[in-house]
Amino acid sequence: LEEAQRKLYLAELRRSREQVLQTVQEKGLSRSRLQVLAALTRLRQICCHPTLVGSDCASGKTETLFELLEPLLAEGQKVLVFSQFVSMLKLIKEALDTEKITYSYLDGSTKDRQSLVDEFNDNESLTVFLISLKAGGTGLNLTGADTVIHFDPWWNPAVEDQATDRAHRIGQTKVVTVYRLVA
């Protein structure tokens, strides 16, 4: 985490901890689950990019993503980038536009998924495919990808594995590299 991002995270951790402990004390653990999940989600969002919680701090994780992408794209790799947060994918999309990196984008609102998949697999100039984890975890054949990046971890690692499997097919000999950006 960047220094300002780390300070924001630690402040939110203290605030959330106090709030969750108070709620658990008042209502009990079983009736406090939503507050616990909300606090964890907010902390995860800060780790992804502070903008997701309304802060203008820089994101160390986003910088790491682009440090990882640069050599991969220079080698001609095609990369899938999964995130559970559509809002995070939109921030990455803006950064790709700024860097003039070609990409495809798929989330739950995407209508013609198959044409995007076909274009990514067939078009060498499309180098990055941004995909929401829920929308892209099943039913897609993205064998054009050489690398899979999970920008943020999912609660259930099997969901990540299923998404990664979009780049694999039975009988395929190509090796696909997988990165998980954990913070």
Side-chain angles (χ1 to χ4, degrees):
L1 301 177
E2 295 288 321
E3 184 62 25
Q5 186 179 15
R6 186 178 68 75
K7 287 179 181 177
L8 177 65
Y9 179 88
L10 292 173
E12 180 61 27
L13 179 62
R14 282 188 296 277
R15 189 194 70 73
S16 294
R17 182 180 289 144
E18 289 173 15
Q19 186 179 35
V20 166
L21 289 174
Q22 181 180 352
T23 303
V24 168
Q25 188 176 27
E26 292 170 3
K27 297 181 179 180
L29 182 59
S30 65
R31 293 178 51 208
S32 303
R33 288 185 183 151
L34 286 178
Q35 288 82 2
V36 171
L37 285 174
L40 290 172
T41 298
R42 188 166 170 85
L43 290 168
R44 293 178 72 177
Q45 288 173 322
I46 292 170
C47 289
C48 287
H49 203 301
T51 300
L52 297 176
V53 297
S55 173
D56 61 356
C57 297
S59 167
K61 194 173 213 181
T62 302
E63 289 177 21
T64 299
L65 171 67
F66 279 85
E67 289 170 5
L68 183 59
L69 280 176
E70 186 178 333
L72 293 171
L73 299 180
E75 294 170 6
Q77 300 275 326
K78 292 184 70 131
V79 182
L80 305 179
V81 178
F82 288 99
S83 176
Q84 69 172 307
F85 301 112
V86 170
S87 51
M88 186 65 233
L89 288 175
K90 290 181 179 178
L91 290 173
I92 295 170
K93 192 169 132 174
E94 290 173 13
L96 290 171
D97 285 337
T98 299
E99 296 295 322
K100 296 187 178 13
I101 297 171
T102 59
Y103 62 88
S104 290
Y105 177 87
L106 186 146
D107 66 20
S109 68
T110 303
K111 300 295 181 217
D112 191 4
R113 296 161 43 116
Q114 192 56 52
S115 68
L116 288 175
V117 168
D118 292 342
E119 186 177 16
F120 178 78
N121 285 334
D122 298 336
N123 184 344
E124 290 301 315
S125 70
L126 280 174
T127 54
V128 177
F129 203 148
L130 302 175
I131 308 171
S132 84
L133 196 55
K134 286 183 180 180
T138 59
L140 301 178
N141 180 353
L142 293 160
T143 56
D146 304 293
T147 304
V148 175
I149 298 174
H150 290 280
F151 187 81
D152 46 88
W154 185 249
W155 306 104
N156 179 350
V159 173
E160 287 181 12
D161 293 342
Q162 187 177 37
T164 298
D165 288 345
R166 302 306 98 216
H168 295 280
R169 284 293 168 255
I170 295 171
Q172 181 182 350
T173 57
K174 179 173 77 173
V175 175
V176 176
T177 306
V178 179
Y179 296 93
R180 286 179 169 81
L181 301 181
V182 180

